[in-house]
Amino acid sequence: MFTAERIAELVREIRKEHGLPESPFKIDEVRYEPEGDKLFIITHDRTDKSVVIGNSLAIGKLRERLGVKQVTVYSNLDLEIKREKLEEAEKLVEGTELEFLLPIIDAEKRFPPRKWPEVKGNVRTLVFLSFNAKPLLGFSERLKLPHEAVGLKYTFPRLKYEPIEGNLRELFYPDEAKLAWIAGEKNMKLVLADFPFPFKTRGGVHLLNPFRLLHIGFFELKYLFGFEFPTMVDKVELPRFVAEMTYEGLMESTDGAKIVWRYWRRGR
């Protein structure tokens, strides 16, 4: 239905129509997922990926031309880095109470497309509503983890959670010690949050950022679980957080710029 040659031809047409430079690029492979009407374009390297995306304009027009729900572009380097991260993830969780994540890790190695097996976690879990609050809740529900949510007061009024004290910096850099203590008080063994690391254990409590562990970026999370913007953020920490996520390949620079602009424009 979709071929690399046809997609490349369309990209060149769109770039020419909208005054974008005629830059050379190579598409190695195209994969289509009928169930979600998603098209995955795999380019030779990251420079080729940038040409296909075309500052978001080319990729948006391509999706319209093809009439598909979603078009995502990856480079072979992106996927190789992801596979390396997943090899590390396996070693981190093996022999721990989080071994139930191994089938998910294995499935991610074959991404794209994403086909997770049915998994049920039996670890009582505390979800801290940090930046990716809705995806963290969605992940807990998808893996059937028995969970409760806590979050900073007034940050996510449309989500159900127990409010706790803290500062806005914790939306991007959660307080490990505080969350481990709260989890311990609630007799919970796992905390999910936007930690700046994939996984560690503190005081007998596992601290997990599932999206770093599985190397799933912001763009994908929005489509998987939806996204809820916090009502307010620390404007000093926001650009730092976005820059780190972009550097690590977990956020597209265009998404990061839009997020920073959203809060700076509103004076938050």
Side-chain angles (χ1 to χ4, degrees), residues 39-41 59 62-63 66 68-73 219:
L39 184 70
F40 302 93
I41 299 171
I59 197 67
L62 181 63
R63 182 180 61 80
L66 297 173
V68 296
K69 182 178 179 181
Q70 181 183 332
V71 178
T72 313
V73 186
F219 176 83

Side-chain angles (χ1 to χ4, degrees), residues 82 108 114 116 211 214-218 220-221 224 250:
K82 181 179 178 72
E108 281 293 300
R114 175 169 287 111
W116 285 3
F211 313 128
L214 299 171
H215 202 71
I216 300 177
F218 175 76
E220 297 168 59
L221 292 179
L224 275 174
L250 293 171

Side-chain angles (χ1 to χ4, degrees), residues 88-225:
E88 295 171 7
E90 279 184 330
K91 295 173 184 176
L92 285 174
V93 303
E94 281 177 346
T96 75
E97 293 168 289
L98 303 189
E99 280 194 331
F100 65 86
L101 291 172
L102 289 174
I104 302 294
I105 294 171
D106 187 60
E108 281 293 300
K109 288 180 180 179
R110 296 186 291 276
F111 175 84
R114 175 169 287 111
K115 294 185 181 295
W116 285 3
E118 286 298 316
V119 170
K120 183 175 182 179
N122 292 313
V123 182
R124 295 193 68 226
T125 301
L126 181 74
V127 179
F128 175 63
L129 301 188
S130 39
F131 180 72
N132 285 302
K134 198 165 184 180
L136 287 165
L137 288 170
F139 182 83
S140 303
E141 291 162 3
R142 180 72 177 269
L143 271 64
K144 301 179 178 64
L145 288 164
H147 64 278
E148 295 178 22
V150 298
L152 303 180
K153 290 181 177 179
Y154 315 121
T155 49
F156 295 100
R158 293 198 292 185
L159 300 179
K160 184 179 179 180
Y161 66 98
E162 175 188 339
I164 61 173
E165 297 294 336
N167 62 68
L168 291 175
R169 183 181 188 276
E170 293 172 42
L171 286 172
F172 306 120
Y173 303 100
D175 188 325
E176 300 173 35
K178 179 169 74 176
L179 293 174
W181 181 84
I182 294 173
E185 288 293 296
K186 292 177 175 286
N187 195 29
M188 294 177 168
K189 296 290 290 181
L190 175 63
V191 178
L192 299 186
D194 282 295
F195 294 116
F197 51 80
F199 174 68
K200 72 165 63 170
T201 300
R202 181 169 183 147
V205 176
H206 301 305
L207 307 179
L208 175 68
N209 182 333
F211 313 128
R212 282 186 183 274
L213 186 82
L214 299 171
H215 202 71
I216 300 177
F218 175 76
F219 176 83
E220 297 168 59
L221 292 179
K222 288 190 298 181
Y223 282 95
L224 275 174
F225 303 114

